[in-house]
Amino acid sequence: MYRNLLKNRSVLYYLAGAGVSQLGNVLAGLAFLFISYELTQSASLTTVIAISQAVPYLLFGLIGGAVADRINKKRLLVRIDLIRVPIILFLVVLYQLENLAFWHLLVVSFIIQSLGCFYNPTYRAVLPLVTPVDERTTVNSLLDTVTRGVQVLTPVFSFVLLSSGNTIHFYSIDALSYILSAFFILRIHWIEPINEENAADESNQGVFQSIVSFFQWIRGEGTIKNVFTATFLMVFFNTWVWQVGLLLILLQNYPSQGEEFYSLLLGWYGAGVILVNVMIPFFWRRLTFIIYLSGSIVWGLGIFVLGFATSLPLYFLGVLIAAVGLPISSLTRVYLIQTLVPTQKLGRAFSFNAVILYGSNVLSLLLFGALATFIKIGAIFVFCGSMIVVCAVFYLIRISLSEKTRRKSVQAFK
């Protein structure tokens, strides 16, 4: 299964580019959290940094997807990678000059993520162009293994740099990852898709008209609509507890080792994700919305367990459970988009997916960040984990009732 697929050089370069880029993104993400907290000693301002990484997708997300569907993808990807190098290194220079301030972090975070609004949907839209349909589940599994699994490497860099007081060089590694990513993208070979039905009309439309036409198309696609709606809910109840809450609760319980334990848990999570993603193609060749919801239930149970954690082993248990469910849910969502959305609409589909993700991120960070000032973080974990499970069960029941109604209609017709 994997052996034949890995003979495809374009797939290998695609996975390598995604891997080094994700490694840089993870390290930079940690740096934004760690350094902002070091500069301000404020949980609220640390949450603001996390919000700054989400807001650009609300402003430019749909535009980025529309652009990705209209222009040369390779040229766009390489240029964005190279533009991001001096921007992220700007923070390193300011730090060395002892002039780095919180607002610098805020501005650079916003700019980097704004560029990501154009980069990410374009990169996602390339995968179907280098992968046959029958191998898409396997390639998605490998991609998720690489992008999420690089978190296993995060503690290696984190411990060395944190112990030496060089957290700022997380950004230096991020800059190097952009250069390597551009190199790998240049080595990928693909042919831009021939426009399918109605694509000629869309090619003559403006960016905003193409966004409107995408929404008109999606109105009649029941499964995709359900996937997007469910995703919004699941991510809303996950974002704050995972991105901010876990770090803050560890800093509260382990003041001198919270950052190190947080990095360890991310590495543990990455190890679990690798194992799960390697096994997924052996269980399912084609992924369904029911599989997505089943993974979400397991994911929610992991968050729920973290709410009751009173010792480090329980934190590791909760993260491991989440590492089983979350990648199943995430991989299935990507597969459904790739399979059910026409090729010439994939950029907009992935950008809309990003808008949903980051929109729910912003709302989650704002609401639960505010609640954390007067509600115990553990209680927020319990509530959010429970709600993820409830939402998933609701959709499973809804699907079951729809199937029963459909069967009764068919029998009545006969």
Side-chain angles (χ1 to χ4, degrees):
M1 180 183 299
Y2 289 104
R3 185 181 303 173
N4 293 332
L5 186 62
L6 294 178
K7 293 179 181 178
N8 185 331
R9 287 182 177 271
S10 290
V11 169
L12 291 178
Y13 288 129
Y14 184 92
L15 295 174
V20 297
S21 181
Q22 180 67 0
L23 177 60
N25 290 341
V26 171
L27 289 170
L30 289 175
F32 278 116
L33 291 177
F34 293 164
I35 295 175
S36 64
Y37 192 79
E38 289 174 7
L39 290 175
T40 66
Q41 296 296 309
S42 169
S44 298
L45 290 178
T46 301
T47 300
V48 169
I49 280 290
I51 292 174
S52 74
Q53 298 177 26
V55 169
Y57 282 89
L58 302 181
L59 300 176
F60 311 119
L62 292 175
I63 297 174
V67 170
D69 284 333
R70 298 164 66 88
I71 68 175
N72 185 284
K73 294 178 177 59
K74 181 172 291 189
R75 188 180 300 118
L76 177 65
L77 292 171
V78 172
R79 287 179 178 177
I80 291 177
D81 266 335
L82 297 180
I83 289 171
R84 289 190 287 193
V85 174
I87 294 174
I88 202 71
L89 286 179
F90 177 66
L91 295 177
V92 180
V93 174
L94 286 176
Y95 183 86
Q96 298 297 341
L97 296 174
E98 299 184 354
N99 288 323
L100 183 63
F102 176 77
W103 73 268
H104 294 134
L105 297 177
L106 197 62
V107 171
V108 170
S109 174
F110 182 85
I111 293 173
I112 290 294
Q113 294 304 318
S114 295
L115 291 171
C117 293
F118 297 85
Y119 186 93
N120 295 334
T122 305
Y123 201 83
R124 279 290 189 179
V126 168
L127 189 144
L129 304 180
V130 298
T131 309
V133 176
D134 291 341
E135 297 177 344
R136 200 158 293 165
T137 298
T138 305
V139 176
N140 280 322
S141 177
L142 284 172
L143 177 62
D144 211 44
T145 298
V146 171
T147 55
R148 294 183 182 274
V150 293
Q151 293 181 23
V152 173
L153 298 177
T154 301
V156 177
F157 294 101
S158 298
F159 274 119
V160 173
L161 295 176
L162 286 171
S163 61
S164 62
N166 288 317
T167 308
I168 191 64
H169 287 302
F170 282 20
Y171 295 131
S172 302
I173 298 173
D174 189 31
L176 177 61
S177 75
Y178 292 140
I179 296 173
L180 292 174
S181 174
F183 169 78
F184 288 126
I185 290 169
L186 288 171
R187 303 296 298 245
I188 302 173
H189 173 73
W190 73 81
I191 299 175
E192 293 291 332
I194 299 175
N195 287 341
E196 300 171 10
E197 57 179 331
N198 301 326
D201 294 336
E202 289 191 9
S203 65
N204 295 322
Q205 295 176 345
V207 170
F208 292 102
Q209 287 179 312
S210 67
I211 293 173
V212 172
S213 69
F214 174 76
F215 283 118
Q216 290 173 340
W217 171 82
I218 206 173
R219 286 173 59 186
E221 303 297 321
T223 301
I224 287 293
K225 282 197 300 185
N226 286 335
V227 169
F228 284 144
T229 304
T231 296
F232 178 87
L233 294 171
M234 307 300 179
V235 174
F236 172 74
F237 291 114
N238 173 78
T239 297
W240 187 87
V241 294
W242 190 260
Q243 289 189 5
V244 180
L246 184 58
L247 173 61
L248 294 180
I249 200 171
L250 288 169
L251 288 171
Q252 288 179 4
N253 295 334
Y254 307 96
S256 62
Q257 295 177 294
E259 292 178 351
E260 287 83 354
F261 287 157
Y262 182 69
S263 296
L264 273 177
L265 286 172
L266 289 183
W268 176 248
Y269 169 77
V273 167
I274 288 176
L275 180 60
V276 171
N277 278 307
V278 168
M279 297 304 297
I280 284 175
F282 293 99
F283 288 94
W284 303 291
R285 295 280 299 184
R286 296 182 179 274
L287 302 174
T288 66
F289 188 42
I290 291 178
I291 294 174
Y292 170 86
L293 296 173
S294 300
S296 298
I297 291 175
V298 178
W299 168 14
L301 289 175
I303 301 297
F304 184 83
V305 169
L306 287 172
F308 289 100
T310 55
S311 62
L312 200 58
L314 283 177
Y315 285 113
F316 275 90
L317 175 62
V319 169
L320 179 61
I321 295 173
V324 174
L326 196 152
I328 293 175
S329 179
S330 177
L331 182 63
T332 303
R333 183 181 70 251
V334 172
Y335 175 87
L336 290 172
I337 293 173
Q338 291 174 341
T339 304
L340 300 178
V341 178
T343 302
Q344 79 275 9
K345 290 181 171 66
L346 278 175
R348 281 165 289 176
F350 280 114
S351 66
F352 181 53
N353 179 64
V355 169
I356 288 175
L357 293 176
Y358 284 95
S360 60
N361 284 348
V362 170
L363 292 176
S364 178
L365 291 167
L366 288 173
L367 176 60
F368 295 112
L371 290 176
T373 60
F374 55 89
I375 296 179
K376 290 184 178 180
I377 296 177
I380 296 177
F381 271 86
V382 172
F383 172 75
C384 289
S386 301
M387 291 308 299
I388 291 174
V389 174
V390 168
C391 290
V393 171
F394 167 78
Y395 275 99
L396 284 172
I397 294 173
R398 185 176 177 181
I399 291 172
S400 177
L401 293 176
S402 297
E403 285 295 317
K404 288 181 180 179
T405 301
R406 185 185 63 81
R407 285 196 295 267
K408 288 181 179 179
S409 298
V410 172
Q411 292 174 355
F413 179 78
K414 290 181 178 179

